[in-house]
Amino acid sequence: MAQMIDLETAFWITIDVSLAFLTIYILTRYIKLKRQVREAKNRTISNLVDFADKFQKYVLNLGGREAVITIFNELIVSLTMSNHINISRNLTNKEVLTILSNNLPKDTSRILYEMYNLYELVRFGGHNPSEEEIEQFYERLELLSKTVNTHVGG
């Protein structure tokens, strides 16, 4: 003969089953989100490597001055997009860099500010970068790639 379960027991069994399903759902969503973040960071690393290669091509095709201006602007746009930061169009690159630095590791921010110093001189001072400055800028792009790679855990 089947034994009846009292109403209170049935209520708690229902609650327990619901909590188990909710826990499983939340855990799977969390795992998917972590995977998406990891993939986005890996794409950022890939993009940063592309920036170093692009920079070399820009130097050959556009010259050092235009290469520094173009690649720095592209880099800032890429970093804001990959960090899901919505930036107003009326902000200067320095203001955007300040916002970005709140979302990036300190050593990454330091490298970006070092690159910005040459960008500012070239963009607003009309400076034509020397071979040494172009090489240092390129090295900063490579270092940026390695730094981001280290923070992702690769």
Side-chain angles (χ1 to χ4, degrees):
M1 194 145 99
Q3 199 174 20
M4 296 288 285
I5 299 176
D6 67 9
L7 195 55
E8 186 178 351
T9 303
F11 171 76
W12 287 111
I13 288 174
T14 304
I15 295 294
D16 289 343
V17 170
S18 298
L19 287 174
F21 280 118
L22 184 62
T23 302
I24 290 169
Y25 174 76
I26 290 171
L27 187 60
T28 56
R29 294 290 294 171
Y30 175 76
I31 290 170
K32 285 181 184 179
L33 180 63
K34 289 296 271 184
R35 188 176 298 139
Q36 289 172 347
V37 167
R38 188 177 328 111
E39 289 170 359
K41 286 186 177 181
N42 287 337
R43 278 193 303 270
T44 300
I45 292 166
S46 168
N47 289 343
L48 290 174
V49 171
D50 291 344
F51 278 114
D53 294 339
K54 268 183 168 181
F55 179 68
Q56 286 184 322
K57 290 176 186 170
Y58 287 172
V59 169
L60 291 174
N61 296 327
L62 304 173
R65 184 174 188 279
E66 286 301 314
V68 168
I69 293 169
T70 304
I71 208 72
F72 191 80
N73 285 328
E74 290 178 10
L75 180 62
I76 292 298
V77 168
S78 177
L79 287 170
T80 56
M81 290 176 66
S82 66
N83 284 287
H84 306 290
I85 299 172
N86 196 4
I87 300 295
S88 173
R89 288 183 136 334
N90 65 340
L91 296 177
T92 65
N93 274 346
K94 188 162 191 169
E95 292 168 328
V96 172
L97 198 54
T98 301
I99 294 169
L100 264 174
S101 67
N102 294 328
N103 296 295
L104 297 172
K106 285 183 182 180
D107 46 351
T108 303
S109 294
R110 180 187 50 78
I111 294 167
L112 284 170
Y113 275 107
E114 289 172 3
M115 294 171 70
Y116 178 79
N117 289 334
L118 179 60
Y119 166 81
E120 185 178 47
L121 188 61
V122 167
R123 172 77 169 89
F124 303 110
H127 177 70
N128 219 354
S130 67
E131 290 290 327
E132 183 181 333
E133 290 171 321
I134 290 171
E135 183 61 31
Q136 288 173 347
F137 194 87
Y138 175 76
E139 288 171 1
R140 294 294 181 274
L141 281 170
E142 287 186 319
L143 187 59
L144 191 64
S145 173
K146 290 175 187 170
T147 304
V148 172
N149 194 13
T150 301
H151 286 290
V152 171

